[in-house]
Amino acid sequence: MLQKLLSSTTQKGINLKALYNCVRNEPELTKAEIAQSTGLKLSTCARLLEELIEQGLLYESGEAESSGGRKPKKYSIQPDVNYLVGIDISRTFSKVVLMGLDLKIIAEERFDMNDSSTPDVMIEQFTQVIHSMLDRNNIPDASLLGIGVSAIGPLDTKQGVIKNPLHFPAPKWEDVPIKEMLKKHFDTNIELDYGENTALDAERRLGAARDDKNVIYINKGAGIRLAIMLNREILRSTGGDKVGAFGQGHMVVDIHGKKCVCGNYGCMNTYSTIPALLTEAKSRLKRGHSSILSETVDDFSTLTFLQLVSALKQGDDFSEQVVKDVAYYSAAGLANMVIIFHPSIIILSGPMYREMKLYYQTVVEMTEARYKKLFPQLNVAFSQGELGENAAAIGAGSLVLDSLLSF
């Protein structure tokens, strides 16, 4: 029944989709709240609600408080009418999640990315896992409404192509027609977007940004991925895929600084990413700085992020100082973002924030110290998100409904 609703082009069908989308975006609204949000007359809204309930697409999910008289009903979408799959492809791991329409995870699978994780290998693994998930949960293929894919840019989201991402551990990730490759295995809707956008969308719907209008989301690891939400809308570049996603990694934090891969000097990428952190640590170790890493790493040029994290957890003074120094540049860039956008919350995700508590705490403290000099009354909340590494995949699945309900 949902496919029939989604394919309708009549005025009534458009109104039904608008109402359904309203309830999907804000579950447990009352009839009056839905009418106000959609702009439909209350009588029209009541009639369409009943129709969607009869079709099994919505249900009465509770009662709201009443100022007098009968308590108004609240409405939510039926989660098991169809199902969604979200795939997140990153440099260190990939994730597949199977969800109901309410974006609650039914099944999930994680894949570590290594030097053998080529596009062909990953598509084969994704395909096997999705079919297995559907079979184990007795879901027919026809009930799969679509597959959303989140990935590292640059992307061609319209054509469904991953173009030429940096720092992937395996070869052949240039000009990958991911949408076309999945279409060979699944006769369903396929959508592609930047992982930072889908992660923020998931946190907006289910996580740390549920009650916020203006949000900054940053994922920091081998690179820096930025998403911005203003007035509950996720911003997209006016240049589209020709420009790509927002590039906080190329915000200049030292005009006389190190040369970046982009050709400019002093970009955030050269100071506050995993490669930058390791470069700084290796340089100091080679100059003779004392550290417990001297006992565990034979060749400093082979130092890994996990080794540095381990030393940090053991209280290594050297590792703590390197992390604090690198955090300084993140805080400078983040304070710039706060001063410009005045977000109510900033979500800091990715391995640098997730694996290094000291790094996260230092960035938050230094960011607050900077922006409060100019805006002492501005209070910004900081979070590492509530959905963890599943955020991007959840948001990717939601992307399918976003596309189908757009009109």
Side-chain angles (χ1 to χ4, degrees):
M1 294 301 294
L2 182 55
Q3 286 94 332
K4 182 179 179 181
L5 170 67
L6 295 171
S7 63
S8 178
T9 57
T10 65
Q11 185 58 53
K12 178 183 176 182
I14 292 172
N15 288 342
L16 282 167
K17 282 192 283 187
L19 192 150
Y20 181 86
N21 201 32
C22 174
V23 176
R24 171 196 170 228
N25 287 329
E26 297 185 71
E28 301 202 335
L29 292 180
T30 65
K31 191 183 305 178
E33 290 169 333
I34 295 169
Q36 182 179 14
S37 179
T38 59
L40 297 171
K41 293 181 180 179
L42 188 59
S43 58
T44 302
C45 184
R47 176 168 45 82
L48 296 179
L49 277 171
E50 287 302 317
E51 187 168 334
L52 289 172
I53 290 173
E54 289 176 5
Q55 293 176 5
L57 300 179
L58 300 182
Y59 70 99
E60 294 179 351
S61 55
E63 295 180 333
E65 293 298 320
S66 173
S67 57
R70 298 175 63 180
K71 292 183 177 180
K73 301 292 185 183
K74 297 190 291 187
Y75 300 88
S76 297
I77 63 171
Q78 287 282 6
D80 56 358
V81 175
N82 287 99
Y83 298 87
L84 303 165
V85 164
I87 299 174
D88 177 42
I89 302 172
S90 71
R91 297 178 178 97
T92 55
F93 70 91
S94 289
K95 200 73 181 279
V96 178
V97 297
L98 172 66
M99 302 171 287
L101 297 178
D102 58 358
L103 306 183
K104 301 293 177 61
I105 293 177
I106 299 169
E108 62 181 279
E109 190 74 32
R110 189 184 197 275
F111 305 90
D112 289 330
M113 299 289 278
N114 53 48
D115 57 7
S116 66
S117 302
T118 63
D120 287 336
V121 168
M122 297 313 299
I123 288 294
E124 181 178 353
Q125 292 181 337
F126 295 157
T127 300
Q128 292 175 353
V129 162
I130 292 169
H131 282 307
S132 175
M133 287 177 172
L134 294 174
D135 290 343
R136 291 199 310 268
N137 290 280
N138 298 314
I139 298 172
D141 289 354
S143 293
L144 180 60
L145 191 61
I147 300 172
V149 181
S150 62
I152 293 171
L155 309 174
D156 183 336
T157 56
K158 291 183 179 179
Q159 297 300 318
V161 176
I162 299 173
K163 295 167 77 173
N164 57 334
L166 298 176
H167 306 304
F168 261 57
K172 301 182 180 180
W173 282 97
E174 296 84 22
D175 298 319
V176 179
I178 193 76
K179 182 175 180 177
E180 179 184 318
M181 295 172 78
L182 286 168
K183 273 283 190 183
K184 292 179 180 179
H185 301 278
F186 300 96
D187 183 22
T188 190
N189 304 286
I190 312 287
E191 299 292 337
L192 173 68
D193 198 3
Y194 293 88
E196 53 269 39
N197 288 340
T198 64
L200 177 52
D201 182 65
E203 293 287 354
R204 172 176 70 99
R205 294 179 183 279
L206 303 176
R210 283 189 300 270
D211 302 319
D212 295 277
K213 291 184 177 181
N214 301 330
V215 183
I216 290 172
Y217 174 93
I218 293 177
N219 183 302
K220 186 165 289 195
I224 303 172
R225 305 161 72 184
L226 168 70
I228 302 169
M229 183 174 76
L230 296 180
N231 294 321
R232 300 291 291 176
E233 292 291 330
I234 295 176
L235 297 187
R236 296 179 183 276
S237 168
T238 55
D241 288 323
K242 292 181 180 179
V243 176
F246 293 106
Q248 206 232 0
H250 298 285
M251 174 186 288
V252 175
V253 291
D254 184 350
I255 61 173
H256 302 296
K258 304 172 186 176
K259 189 174 182 178
C260 181
V261 292
C262 71
N264 288 324
Y265 290 83
C267 294
M268 179 87 71
N269 272 334
T270 64
Y271 291 95
S272 193
T273 57
I274 289 176
L277 173 68
L278 291 176
T279 297
E280 183 62 27
K282 291 172 185 177
S283 175
R284 295 186 189 186
L285 287 169
K286 289 176 181 178
R287 294 200 304 267
H289 286 244
S290 176
S291 169
I292 62 173
L293 288 167
S294 302
E295 303 169 6
T296 58
V297 181
D298 295 328
D299 181 357
F300 292 144
S301 64
T302 65
L303 178 67
T304 67
F305 178 63
L306 292 180
Q307 287 172 326
L308 187 60
V309 169
S310 176
L312 188 65
K313 291 179 178 178
Q314 295 176 59
D316 180 39
D317 291 338
F318 167 84
S319 299
E320 289 182 0
Q321 190 58 54
V322 173
V323 166
K324 286 181 179 179
D325 290 345
V326 168
Y328 170 86
Y329 293 98
S330 283
L334 202 52
N336 289 339
M337 300 293 293
V338 173
I339 290 168
I340 294 170
F341 292 106
H342 289 205
S344 55
I345 186 171
I346 296 175
I347 300 173
L348 300 173
S349 184
M352 288 193 73
Y353 289 115
R354 188 169 54 245
E355 301 297 335
M356 299 189 296
K357 184 178 180 180
L358 176 65
Y359 181 78
Y360 173 79
Q361 291 174 336
T362 304
V363 169
V364 170
E365 291 170 4
M366 297 180 75
T367 300
E368 289 180 330
R370 280 179 166 270
Y371 82 74
K372 280 188 176 290
K373 289 180 180 179
L374 186 61
F375 297 107
Q377 304 304 317
L378 179 61
N379 294 312
V380 179
F382 290 84
S383 170
Q384 291 184 275
E386 295 181 8
L387 304 177
E389 66 180 27
N390 288 334
I394 293 171
S398 178
L399 182 66
V400 174
L401 265 181
D402 288 342
S403 176
L404 293 173
L405 286 166
S406 62
F407 51 87

